Amino acid sequence: MAFTNTKGRYASFGIVTSLTPEIIDCFWDILDRNLKGVFKLDNRLAFQLVNSQGKTSFKYIDKYSQTTLIMDYIYPFDPFFPEIIYIVDNDGMETIILPHELDN
């Protein structure tokens, strides 16, 4: 099962240059507090960043249960944020990455 044996956590170049460190940390917080142990997780998780009255919300849809989670944070939303972001688990090496950076 994915995301059960964390060896390291990383952010791609595209992520680091398009998101603030606080937003990047939110992804790890969501994974650890809201997803692990709650949902069956694949090795690729998709998120959408949403403008919620000027603040940033993170939207996750679990493909197995069709449950949608929207987590609201206090950080300002930037219209230049990437819309879709993935977290990928590659044998314990977890990386936040943009869709176009994935080696499909």
Side-chain angles (χ1 to χ4, degrees):
M1 181 178 276
F3 297 99
T4 58
N5 187 25
T6 303
K7 296 177 185 170
R9 287 190 163 165
Y10 308 94
S12 71
F13 179 79
I15 290 295
V16 171
T17 58
S18 61
L19 297 176
T20 65
E22 294 83 10
I23 296 291
I24 293 169
D25 288 344
C26 288
F27 283 100
W28 301 127
D29 183 61
I30 291 167
L31 177 63
D32 291 338
R33 295 176 186 252
N34 302 105
L35 302 181
K36 281 185 175 181
V38 178
F39 296 98
K40 178 182 174 187
L41 301 176
D42 284 337
N43 66 342
R44 184 187 299 182
L45 308 177
F47 292 83
Q48 182 178 10
L49 292 180
V50 180
N51 185 352
S52 181
Q53 298 179 352
K55 303 293 182 193
T56 303
S57 294
F58 296 70
K59 182 177 181 180
Y60 170 77
I61 300 173
D62 179 63
K63 71 180 187 179
Y64 295 105
S65 67
Q66 296 302 307
T67 300
T68 300
L69 295 177
I70 299 177
M71 285 103 358
D72 299 323
Y73 283 81
I74 61 170
Y75 304 110
F77 182 81
D78 185 330
F80 294 104
F81 281 164
E83 184 178 353
I84 303 296
I85 296 167
Y86 291 108
I87 302 178
V88 177
D89 180 5
N90 186 9
D91 294 323
M93 303 303 227
E94 300 171 0
T95 305
I96 303 172
I97 192 166
L98 296 174
H100 74 272
E101 295 177 304
L102 280 172
D103 192 20
N104 292 327

